[in-house]
Amino acid sequence: MLSAWLRPKGASTRLAVDVTFLENRRPCVSPVLPDGFSVTRVTGCEALPLYRELYAAVGRDYCWWMRRSMPDTDLAAILDDPAVHFMVLQDVSGYPVGFYELDLRRGGDANLAYFGLLSRVMGRGLGRVLLDHAVARAFDAGSWRLRVNTCTLDHPHALPNYRRAGFSVRDVASEIWNVPDEYVPQKLKRL
């Protein structure tokens, strides 16, 4: 049963997507970040607004909508959980350019809930470094498995990048999403 906030209240678009579920059981060594870049865990009162900003900016072209429609209280409860790591990649000037959300609430069965970069920094190898950082963090925390999923609406390099990082496909499911029109990327809007 869908949460009430996932049900569109106005105009919506039905989108057919294939969701690929992957897992990784191979720890990796923490990567070396490029000079001047850092990855920082963000908590407290600054977490919610920064998360919302990055989630919207990273996912705008890929139909990331579920967390955008989630009420602040629900999202804050997730981000405030000590077993959820909201990690932000910052460039040499300290500006956030990417993030990941690592969910360790199920003991050793970790989930990379969200992961992405701002489009202006793509193509520079930062995605691979940030993904390796997430994998290392999950296994350093005692996880025996790290799960992630991607879909046909995500960046076309998402699935190949996960596979290169040691993830293997466990399942693919075809789904129909009823997405509020305000969150549908321009390239997918009805004519």
Side-chain angles (χ1 to χ4, degrees):
M1 177 117 184
L2 284 178
S3 298
W5 51 266
L6 283 174
R7 290 189 209 106
K9 292 167 185 44
S12 64
T13 300
R14 291 175 58 82
L15 299 171
V17 297
D18 289 332
V19 181
T20 302
F21 299 89
L22 303 106
E23 69 175 35
N24 186 343
R25 294 177 186 239
R26 297 184 328 203
C28 73
V29 176
S30 291
V32 176
L33 295 168
D35 285 342
F37 282 81
S38 62
V39 178
T40 306
R41 184 173 182 187
V42 178
T43 60
C45 60
E46 67 184 62
L48 182 64
L50 180 57
Y51 186 97
R52 286 218 181 271
E53 177 185 332
L54 285 170
Y55 183 92
V58 168
R60 182 172 290 115
D61 292 334
Y62 309 110
C63 204
W64 287 15
W65 64 279
M66 293 178 185
R67 292 287 172 90
R68 290 174 76 185
S69 63
M70 181 182 273
D72 282 349
T73 53
D74 293 0
L75 183 53
I78 292 169
L79 297 175
D80 288 343
D81 191 306
V84 174
H85 297 208
F86 170 39
M87 306 299 295
V88 176
L89 176 66
Q90 296 170 316
D91 66 13
V92 295
S93 64
Y95 187 80
V97 294
F99 81 104
Y100 67 84
E101 177 190 335
L102 181 62
D103 187 343
L104 302 168
R105 292 179 290 183
R106 292 179 60 183
D109 191 7
N111 182 47
L112 185 56
Y114 288 96
F115 171 88
L117 298 174
L118 297 178
S119 60
R120 69 178 182 83
V121 298
M122 288 181 180
R124 297 174 25 188
L126 294 170
R128 178 61 191 259
V129 172
L130 187 59
L131 182 55
D132 286 347
H133 190 279
V135 171
R137 190 169 187 92
F139 286 101
D140 288 349
S143 298
W144 61 273
R145 173 173 72 172
L146 176 58
R147 295 172 290 111
V148 68
N149 65 294
T150 187
C151 75
T152 49
L153 297 178
D154 279 337
H155 190 284
H157 293 147
L159 182 57
N161 286 338
Y162 288 131
R163 295 186 76 144
R164 267 193 296 277
F167 287 84
S168 57
V169 174
R170 302 304 300 158
D171 194 19
V172 178
S174 295
E175 298 180 359
I176 301 293
W177 293 353
N178 196 19
V179 182
D181 279 352
E182 66 190 290
Y183 302 131
V184 176
Q186 192 62 39
K187 65 184 177 187
L188 300 175
K189 288 195 187 267
R190 292 179 240 154
L191 301 175

